[in-house]
Amino acid sequence: MTQATQTQTKPGFAPTFTHLVSKEGGVKYPLKALHVCEETFSPLEVAYDYEAIRNQVSRATIEAGPNSIWRYKAFLPVESQNPIDVGTGMTPLVKSHRLARRLGLKNLYIKNDAVNMPTLSFKDRVVSVALTRAKELGFTTVSCASTGNLANSTAAIAAHAGLDCCVFIPSDLEAGKVLGTLVYNPTVMAVKGNYDQVNRLCCEVGNTYGWGFVNINLRPYYSEGSKTLGFEVAEQLGWKLPDHVVAPLASGSLYTKIYKGFQEFIKTGLVEDKAVRFSGAQAEGCSPIASAFKEGRDFVTPVKPNTIAKSIAIGNPADGYYALDIARKTNGNIESVTDPEIVEGIKLLAETEGIFTETAGGTTVAVLKKLVEAGKIDPEETTVIYITGNGLKTQEAVQEYIGEPLTIEPKLDSFERALERSRTLERLDWQQVLV
Ligand SMILES: *Cc1c(COP(=O)(O)O)cnc(C)c1O
């Protein structure tokens, strides 16, 4: 820990996080760059003094805080008075009208992290927290094993914070994700392999190079950033919890941390206790958690990913076991959908709500639709779907399915002829539907 961070900590705002603890067996560890328990081999998690948090915050102090994730700083594992704030968080919670009507739901909300800052995915939340903590722990080089969005966030926020950055991605990622990393000028390693192979390589590199890997040795701090997806929804619903949430699952981290966020708001008296149902979404081409759920297993069998939903293509999910547990104990469901259904999900959200999401969001919308059709979502329930990334980054996924513009001469009659032709085509489409 550096001198600077110690002197910045004001009395009365002492850090509320106290130690790391193993998820199994409760073995305690100091607040360092550690992520696995040496005794139980279970993941480590940040523990807090909830009494101290209760004394520091109220609805009013949070509402008066910054318009970013840092309004919830008391619940996050950082001690600096000036965390890295690039405007991450406080994305819109949109009340759905047209998508809701299409699906027959009365109280559907969309948490729109497709417009999160600075890189248009929810990963900016976890990286803002991880890099703030990385600086506190004295790291000067930060890194990650990424399915795409994490590389974008790590590179961008490291650039902002003046940290050296080296990111690892699978070599077959979408062009937008690669370009959206390179532009920040980090070192980019495109690994000829899938995410699980990238991750294994990064574990070896981490052991040798002493870098701060946001989702490996800094994972306990990183993952806490996802709690803000729970906090914001509760605050934006008027300090109430929803009845049901639907979120995508890759490693399962985001899903389990939304749950932790809700529990912490209950524990500190910021919202009333309520049983929230947790449903999860996977792509059929990489659905190890959904398979375990359907087969009634409590262990996740790794798979080799093959889907257009690359951002959630993790075949060996670190938090799969915990995600299953939450789905079961909250009476939720974990469903998977095919690649064509994911494309339909992207188009459906765009056409009904004006939100262009990437493949992970298409997966979530398609799973929502599937759950509604199976009677697994009550139309009256307040349901929140988490849209976690932006469609401009995965254009290849929809390119073939959205048609072409009508190319015309710069003349009125050319326009009129094209308009007439498109209307005729539309009528033909409708006639086919009516037949
Ligand atoms: C990483 C990612 C997820 C899922 O993240 P986990 O926390 O690993 O489950 C969901 N959506 C998008 C767009 C992502 O980039």
Side-chain angles (χ1 to χ4, degrees), residues 113 120-123 126 146-150 177 195 215 219 222-223 226 247-257 281-282 289 310-314 317-319 357-361 364 386-390 393:
D113 261 23
L120 310 177
S121 89
F122 99 92
K123 291 293 197 310
V126 280
S146 173
T147 56
N149 284 314
L150 186 56
K177 298 249 168 98
Y195 171 81
N215 58 336
R219 191 173 178 85
Y222 155 96
S223 59
S226 288
L249 299 163
S251 71
S253 173
L254 136 87
Y255 177 91
T256 57
K257 293 298 173 169
Q282 292 210 293
I289 311 177
K310 295 174 197 261
S311 60
I312 51 170
I314 296 185
D319 294 298
T357 185
E358 65 144 84
T359 47
T364 305
Y386 283 94
I387 296 303
T388 47
N390 193 295
K393 293 197 210 178

Side-chain angles (χ1 to χ4, degrees), residues 384-432:
V384 176
I385 59 169
Y386 283 94
I387 296 303
T388 47
N390 193 295
L392 288 171
K393 293 197 210 178
T394 63
Q395 297 180 34
E396 318 50 1
V398 289
Q399 196 91 61
E400 287 175 55
Y401 309 100
I402 49 175
E404 297 280 337
L406 302 169
T407 305
I408 61 172
E409 299 300 326
K411 295 197 176 109
L412 189 60
D413 68 326
S414 177
F415 156 71
E416 285 174 339
R417 261 182 284 129
L419 188 64
E420 187 50 41
R421 237 180 301 132
S422 80
R423 286 187 171 158
T424 311
L425 284 176
E426 232 171 72
R427 268 197 301 277
L428 285 176
D429 268 1
W430 274 107
Q431 276 163 7
Q432 275 167 358

